[in-house]
Amino acid sequence: MSTSTSTSKTLKLNINVQKQNFKLAAQCQIEWIKPGIHVVFGKSGCGKSHFLRAIAGLENTQGHIEYEGNTWLNTLQNIHTPCHLRDVSVVFQDSQLFSHLTVQGNLQFAFKRSSATSQDWQHVLQALNLEPLLMQRPNQLSGGEKQRVSLGRSLLSKPALLLMDEPLASLDWHSKQEIMPYIQRISKEWQLPILYVTHSIDEVMQLADQVIILNKHNDVSVIEKMGPLVELLQDVQQGFNQDFKAGSIIHGTLLDHDSNGIKDTRARENSGLNRIQIKKEILYTPAKIGLSAGPMRLCIQANDVSLALSAPTDSSILNILPAQIENIARQGSGQCLISLSLDGQKLLSRISNHSVDKLNLKVGQHVFAQIKAVALQQSIDI
Amino acid sequence: MEALWLTLQLALFSTLILIVLATPLAWWLAHSHFKGKALIEALVALPLVLPPTVLGFYLLIFLGPNGPGGWLASLWGGHTLAFSFTGLLIGSVIYSLPFVVQPLQNGFMLIGKKPLEVAYTLKASFWDAFTHVILPLAKPAYISAATLGFAHTLGEFGVVLMIGGNIPGETQVVSIAIYEQVESMEYTNAHMLSALLLLISFSLLAIIYKTRKQQGGSLL
């Protein structure tokens, strides 16, 4: 476990990357007040990966980059710290394990070149459950296992900043669910600031503390907005992001779920339900591996929330919570996005205009929100 | 037997020199975006298509008393590099260059730059990454290159005849010896040497195709 105190870490940059048919101009100051995951979010082809590669020192970049007071790039003063001397590590989309080495060899490659101790080695093996894989070759591993090894390798490199370039993009749903809890734990356990690139709104909702939104303006990739997820959620859901699925984040506390061991994924998933407390109410979610009792974040798609005027008693839906309507926004194609207040937390529901009229829904009205348990994406809150 | 020993020595030294020279050249050809790269590639491939006599002729001029080779030889009291083992070595290196450069270039291209970048992000410098990641990954390419370079030098005839002549113990390689045996109707000796060369060449090619299958790349 890292002993460094959780002082704030800052990445200052003002960079230009110019390639054939591509231009990125970004200026920002990214601050980690406590270790956490800041997500660089944007559509495919908007320059997210170039942004990350420029920070890592893998891209020909003009401008200025400074992290924790160390200048990594200053083209005016002719300072170009090469990648291997910048205190970063990168987890790539396709894991990029060295195929001529075993899992152990891959981990040792990083271990030998860093300040990691044998304690760190044990900690990484244990936290990511890598012990059983050590003697395997990369081509014998599943996608999820590869990414776990890649994550472990990066941690053993003991970086001051961890960059992750769409680490879940090439994984199937199951592997994603398997890796997600590991990623959530890493930042806290290793006191490690993480910059995480993705185009998946689900990943933003589950992982992000802060969001940096990249977008193209006149063929130049720029930072469109940045800030805490709670503030940008609105942007993500409305306005320019209408093509993304709308959803909301609800904070709660996971009760009495005993999480011992992470083996036998599927059996545990079939085993039952988690109970999550939100103020006075209890929400049921599918039991999920890698979660222990404590603060929890729930991502709820607006499409998975329906409304009723009275609490139904004969419904298959487990989660029926009292809520108050705060806003009704009519959208195109006969749909309506309704903002609800759930004990002070914001919940979105998307229903048809027809239903709104039929139930005669009004702002300020008290209703019951019905949420399908299986529709809930849960993740550790950090 | 003297000729066989000389041939093996020539092939071995040529291959060693070629591996050292071809590594940076192949790496550069695999990754450079330099505009004149095609010209360099054509130059490297030239020995593949040029008649050995043409190459041999230019080498003879180059290595002879009036060329740079002659000047070089004068440094240790000689007056020409032609008709010497050193001259033969220089000729072989040029003659077999494409057979070593091209498999390496293909190998490096197949590996790509990604493993190098990954190694950088794990705090490895270029040399560290090259020796601990690229070289092991390129092992099949090196086996191909070395075997091809070696086998091709074994089979050299025209260039050797032009610049080496036929001095036993100094420049008389197996292929020349066979030619001479046939000329003087010594068929038994010619049979023996030919069979030997056939066997060695076949074994070497078998090695190449075996590794090529593992690597999944092309021969040239």
Side-chain angles (χ1 to χ4, degrees):
Chain A
M1 187 89 64
S2 170
T3 49
S4 69
T5 51
S6 40
T7 47
S8 112
K9 308 255 168 82
T10 311
L11 176 69
K12 285 185 208 166
L13 53 89
N14 183 358
I15 53 171
N16 274 292
V17 179
Q18 184 132 30
K19 297 190 115 184
Q20 267 186 326
N21 312 321
F22 177 82
K23 208 176 164 200
L24 168 85
Q27 184 181 2
C28 65
Q29 181 162 333
I30 305 170
E31 197 176 352
W32 287 265
I33 292 165
K34 56 176 181 150
I37 303 175
H38 291 1
V39 173
V40 180
F41 176 62
K43 295 172 194 175
S44 299
C46 76
K48 304 183 297 290
S49 289
H50 282 98
F51 181 69
L52 213 65
R53 287 172 59 83
I55 295 170
L58 294 172
E59 207 69 56
N60 194 358
T61 311
Q62 299 293 311
H64 181 258
I65 302 176
E66 190 187 313
Y67 182 67
E68 281 191 275
N70 298 314
T71 303
W72 286 349
L73 180 78
N74 189 334
T75 35
L76 285 179
Q77 288 175 24
N78 218 14
I79 300 173
H80 297 264
T81 306
C83 174
H84 72 277
L85 297 177
R86 297 185 187 191
D87 216 354
V88 290
S89 190
V90 186
V91 175
F92 294 93
Q93 178 180 338
D94 36 3
S95 78
Q96 294 290 344
L97 299 178
F98 298 129
S99 59
H100 65 292
L101 298 172
T102 58
V103 168
Q104 181 160 5
N106 270 278
L107 296 174
Q108 271 169 351
F109 189 94
F111 183 68
K112 279 184 202 157
R113 290 164 176 80
S114 79
S115 61
T117 61
S118 54
Q119 237 174 326
D120 292 317
W121 175 269
Q122 284 306 326
H123 187 196
V124 167
L125 287 198
Q126 204 180 11
L128 294 169
N129 194 24
L130 295 176
E131 199 81 55
L133 305 177
L134 283 181
M135 290 306 143
Q136 311 245 38
R137 291 255 158 201
N139 59 11
Q140 295 171 298
L141 304 177
S142 72
E145 287 170 335
K146 276 185 197 164
Q147 216 45 305
R148 244 160 62 206
V149 176
S150 177
L151 204 55
R153 188 174 65 172
S154 281
L155 287 176
L156 285 171
S157 181
K158 280 267 186 170
L161 173 64
L162 181 62
L163 306 175
M164 302 182 88
D165 190 1
E166 307 233 19
L168 303 179
S170 50
L171 299 181
D172 58 49
W173 185 85
H174 250 292
S175 306
K176 269 185 202 174
Q177 298 312 308
E178 186 196 322
I179 299 284
M180 201 73 108
Y182 291 115
I183 295 178
Q184 285 159 344
R185 285 212 305 258
I186 281 171
S187 184
K188 204 168 160 189
E189 278 190 43
W190 271 268
Q191 298 284 306
L192 190 58
I194 296 177
L195 199 59
Y196 184 107
V197 157
T198 185
H199 67 264
S200 149
I201 185 140
D202 290 337
E203 288 168 33
V204 178
M205 302 273 272
Q206 291 195 57
L207 296 172
D209 296 326
Q210 303 254 334
V211 189
I212 298 141
I213 298 174
L214 277 185
N215 210 349
K216 275 204 165 178
H217 282 292
N218 303 325
D219 276 342
V220 182
S221 299
V222 293
I223 295 175
E224 181 156 291
K225 266 189 181 141
M226 58 182 287
L229 175 64
V230 275
E231 282 172 28
L232 288 186
L233 211 52
Q234 214 93 12
D235 290 287
V236 171
Q237 283 152 11
Q238 294 160 9
F240 84 103
N241 263 336
Q242 280 217 337
D243 50 329
F244 289 122
K245 288 180 278 182
S248 40
I249 291 174
I250 300 291
H251 297 279
T253 309
L254 177 63
L255 303 171
D256 64 11
H257 175 253
D258 53 324
S259 161
N260 39 11
I262 21 184
K263 281 178 190 160
D264 204 3
T265 317
R266 281 161 191 87
R268 289 188 61 85
E269 276 169 9
N270 294 335
S271 71
L273 296 166
N274 281 342
R275 297 194 302 139
I276 293 175
Q277 185 165 27
I278 300 161
K279 294 244 173 106
K280 290 170 297 201
E281 305 295 330
I282 298 284
L283 247 148
Y284 294 91
T285 67
K288 193 176 156 185
I289 44 143
L291 294 180
S292 45
M296 191 64 44
R297 173 192 293 191
L298 291 171
C299 303
I300 306 171
Q301 302 291 337
N303 286 344
D304 292 324
V305 181
S306 59
L307 300 180
L309 294 177
S310 56
T313 50
D314 52 356
S315 168
S316 71
I317 289 179
L318 276 174
N319 298 310
I320 297 159
L321 306 172
Q324 191 173 13
I325 296 178
E326 287 196 323
N327 184 39
I328 299 175
R330 296 203 181 241
Q331 299 179 314
S333 63
Q335 297 279 307
C336 215
L337 195 64
I338 297 183
S339 305
L340 303 154
S341 167
L342 195 79
D343 260 342
Q345 300 202 59
K346 189 173 153 173
L347 178 69
L348 289 174
S349 164
R350 184 182 277 143
I351 55 177
S352 65
N353 286 339
H354 179 72
S355 303
V356 174
D357 298 337
K358 200 175 107 192
L359 297 176
N360 195 19
L361 296 178
K362 295 264 170 7
V363 173
Q365 193 173 356
H366 288 273
V367 292
F368 290 88
Q370 314 178 94
I371 310 161
K372 267 193 167 176
V374 287
L376 292 164
Q377 291 271 14
Q378 47 198 322
S379 58
I380 301 164
D381 219 352
I382 41 177
Chain B
M1 272 304 131
E2 206 176 25
L4 182 69
W5 179 233
L6 189 79
T7 308
L8 290 176
Q9 266 183 316
L10 181 67
L12 186 70
F13 287 129
S14 305
T15 309
L16 288 178
I17 294 171
L18 274 169
I19 290 288
V20 174
L21 289 181
T23 297
L25 182 59
W27 179 262
W28 181 79
L29 287 173
H31 295 304
S32 162
H33 298 293
F34 174 61
K35 274 185 190 132
K37 193 172 98 172
L39 293 181
I40 309 285
E41 280 181 301
L43 206 63
V44 171
L46 215 48
L48 285 175
V49 294
L50 220 53
T53 42
V54 173
L55 195 65
F57 174 68
Y58 283 120
L59 277 170
L60 191 63
I61 306 281
F62 183 83
L63 297 174
N66 300 321
W71 176 82
L72 206 64
S74 70
L75 292 181
W76 57 83
H79 78 288
T80 175
L81 277 182
F83 310 110
S84 73
F85 184 75
T86 315
L88 222 52
L89 203 55
I90 295 173
S92 303
V93 164
I94 293 171
Y95 183 54
S96 299
L97 189 66
F99 291 86
V100 178
V101 170
Q102 290 185 2
L104 289 186
Q105 186 183 343
N106 287 341
F108 290 148
M109 276 160 76
L110 208 68
I111 294 164
K113 276 205 159 166
K114 209 77 208 213
L116 201 65
E117 290 185 348
V118 175
Y120 290 160
T121 68
L122 299 169
K123 298 186 165 65
S125 66
F126 174 79
W127 280 114
D128 187 2
F130 190 81
T131 47
H132 292 103
V133 177
I134 302 297
L135 283 187
L137 286 175
K139 201 169 106 189
Y142 272 94
I143 293 175
S144 263
T147 327
L148 267 177
F150 190 88
H152 188 245
T153 311
L154 280 188
E156 197 177 319
F157 178 77
V159 174
V160 181
L161 198 65
M162 293 289 283
I163 62 170
N166 191 7
I167 308 163
E170 175 77 23
T171 62
Q172 193 194 58
V173 295
V174 174
S175 58
I176 306 271
I178 294 169
Y179 179 70
E180 201 183 62
Q181 305 285 7
V182 174
E183 286 285 275
S184 49
M185 307 290 271
E186 300 269 4
Y187 274 37
T188 324
N189 281 338
H191 260 306
M192 211 177 68
L193 284 174
S194 298
L196 205 62
L197 213 53
L198 185 79
L199 195 72
I200 295 173
S201 304
F202 176 75
S203 314
L204 289 174
L205 286 174
I207 293 174
I208 295 174
Y209 280 97
K210 186 91 182 136
T211 53
R212 184 187 120 174
K213 219 175 238 165
Q214 287 160 1
Q215 187 189 11
S218 64
L219 192 56
L220 269 178

